[in-house]
Amino acid sequence: MPTQLLRLRVNGRHEEVAAPTHWTLLELLRYRLDLIGSKQGCDKGDCGACTVQIDGRPVLACLTLAAKAETREVTTVEGLGFMGGAEGCHPLQDAFDRWDAAQCGFCTPGILMSAEALIRRLGRPVTRDEVRDALAGNLCRCTGYTKILDAIVDASERIHDAGEAASA
Amino acid sequence: MKNFSLLRPRSLDEARKALVDGAPKAAPRGAGLDILDHLKEGLPAPDALVELRRIEGETGLSLRAATAGADGLELGALSTLSQLAESPILSGPYAALAEAAGQAATPSIRNMATLGGNLLQRPRCWYYRDRELVCLKKGGDLCLAISGDNRYHAILGGGPAFYVHPSSLATPAMALDARVRIHGESPREMPLDELFVGPAEDPSREHRLAPGEVLTHLILPTPEAGARSAYFALREKQSHDWPLVEAAVALRLEGGTIRHARIVLGHVAPLPWRASEAEAKLVGQKPSVELFARTAELALAPARPMTGNAYKVPAARGALRHALHRASGLELPA
């Protein structure tokens, strides 16, 4: 099986890893780098459970060839804590905990990555409609989404308030 | 997933050579979303992917850029749907294309999917997409849609196969009189509608690119003053769904009178469906509710629904009326 040596940055770390040329980024993350937060759900772009960020934009790791991520900046749910500034929980993760926004949790990593990109792109508290649009490709079969929307709107307000306080 | 080799040419000429050498089992890859689907689902798929994203220099940049030139807008084939949806350059007369790009699939897929891939993706017919089932596109002798579940199939221009054209960007692009630029043995351009091949001509393919040819740009001619456009699609779900029917309209008004009209319907036929007769009736008229209702009747008059898709006829009429009203700025009656 032809393999390739790939150099990429994942969650701020340089990685050099050999993998078959036909592997997807999702397979590389899960089966070479042991980053199993990104989930292999439908594996065909329907469910969004594998959503990661490449250069800050949410994409589907199951539809991205590993080779395409070379020299790019990949962020997975495992890197989300670092994006909050301090080590540990990202405000989104904290909000999901407080709002009970996860049940089985399978969709949560993908939803967090879509939501983080939305909040960062808009740079202000987000509305429920904006969250609905941004999560159009992330399926959740447990929650009915209500708590997820609550948590994301709440997190965006807290992130905004913290930013205001820091710059005051 | 089926294995394949990945080639990374640095120029369009190298890409062309790789595609010619590998023909017919090599395919150019933009985002590769539909190709990956074929590889995973066990559908007919290439052995070699020729990566277009590594093409360097000015050519590489132009493949992912939207630039305004003397002849109009040039959109690189590797532009993502997100880029097109957000591009300030695609406002005003070109709005229909940005609207279609912004409604397709989901945000994360729009961040990946390319313009070229959207135009050249294979049909989404469930008989084609099931590896176990017979299909004229896969060398079979039968279109199962005729006697099967054809709720999403063609009401216009079908036969011998009854799939609908999958590209939501082709619909507005054709309404905007788009051309495509092709890199091949000698570079060439052609109107977008001439790129597509219908099932009566050859059910095995949807475009007439020769092996080694690469679609590099979509070109939208500069519209005259007073031009505007609109797109409207109906879906079963609000997002993450293929349209049931869609309509794109480009109009030019002069002193309140329509001087130019293009109507293209999508997801109703194996090709983006131009309603020329209905267009002709618009020219010289002033926008009105009655005129647009008559236009929609006329555009769907040739429809021949199958056993399960008669709903598409009034749905397409409605989508077209929406698009006509939005393009002209005339409010749609409640």
Side-chain angles (χ1 to χ4, degrees), chain B residues 5-236:
Chain B
S5 58
L6 188 64
L7 308 169
R8 300 165 173 192
R10 299 298 168 116
S11 70
L12 278 173
D13 285 330
E14 280 178 39
R16 178 180 147 65
K17 187 174 179 309
L19 288 165
V20 170
D21 291 348
K25 296 299 279 179
R29 189 184 100 95
L33 301 184
D34 194 20
I35 294 177
L36 218 53
D37 221 27
H38 280 73
L39 290 160
K40 287 185 182 183
E41 296 291 318
L43 293 167
D47 294 329
L49 301 187
V50 179
E51 181 82 271
L52 300 180
R53 288 169 180 268
R54 296 298 170 107
I55 290 172
E56 296 177 332
E58 286 201 15
T59 312
L61 289 177
S62 91
L63 283 175
R64 61 196 76 217
T67 43
D71 303 333
L73 286 189
E74 281 191 23
L75 307 176
L78 294 183
S79 308
T80 64
L81 302 197
S82 293
Q83 259 177 286
L84 298 176
E86 293 160 16
S87 172
I89 222 173
L90 282 181
S91 54
Y94 306 113
L97 190 70
E99 287 170 5
Q103 290 176 28
T106 68
S108 37
I109 291 176
R110 294 197 290 272
N111 282 340
M112 311 167 75
T114 65
L115 168 61
N118 183 277
L119 294 173
L120 297 174
Q121 64 185 307
R122 305 298 312 268
R124 301 286 160 174
C125 169
W126 45 30
Y127 297 114
Y128 169 68
R129 295 274 164 173
D130 188 320
R131 80 181 106 175
E132 306 293 338
L133 296 180
V134 172
C135 166
L136 291 173
K137 292 211 161 292
K138 296 181 287 191
D141 55 0
L142 187 64
C143 175
L144 288 175
I146 297 170
S147 57
D149 187 338
N150 47 36
R151 72 183 87 169
Y152 301 128
H153 289 79
I155 53 170
L156 286 159
F162 288 83
Y163 62 92
V164 294
H165 200 275
S167 172
S168 279
L169 298 191
T171 310
M174 251 172 73
L176 295 169
D177 286 327
R179 304 173 61 77
V180 284
R181 184 172 298 152
I182 292 157
H183 181 89
E185 199 168 353
S186 54
R188 60 178 178 140
E189 278 186 21
M190 63 166 97
L192 177 61
D193 53 345
E194 288 175 21
L195 172 70
F196 297 128
V197 174
E201 183 183 338
D202 182 355
S204 71
R205 60 200 312 231
E206 297 87 43
H207 64 76
R208 59 181 85 256
L209 296 178
E213 287 193 321
V214 176
L215 191 162
T216 61
H217 296 86
L218 185 78
I219 298 159
L220 304 177
T222 310
E224 292 179 59
R228 41 183 87 183
S229 68
Y231 167 84
F232 189 88
L234 270 178
R235 295 178 171 82
E236 284 175 310

Side-chain angles (χ1 to χ4, degrees), chain A residues 22 43 46 58 62 64 67, chain B residues 1 3 8 40 111-112 240:
Chain A
H22 69 286
D43 210 31
D46 287 337
C62 78
T64 304
Chain B
M1 176 160 63
N3 206 344
R8 300 165 173 192
K40 287 185 182 183
N111 282 340
M112 311 167 75
H240 202 174

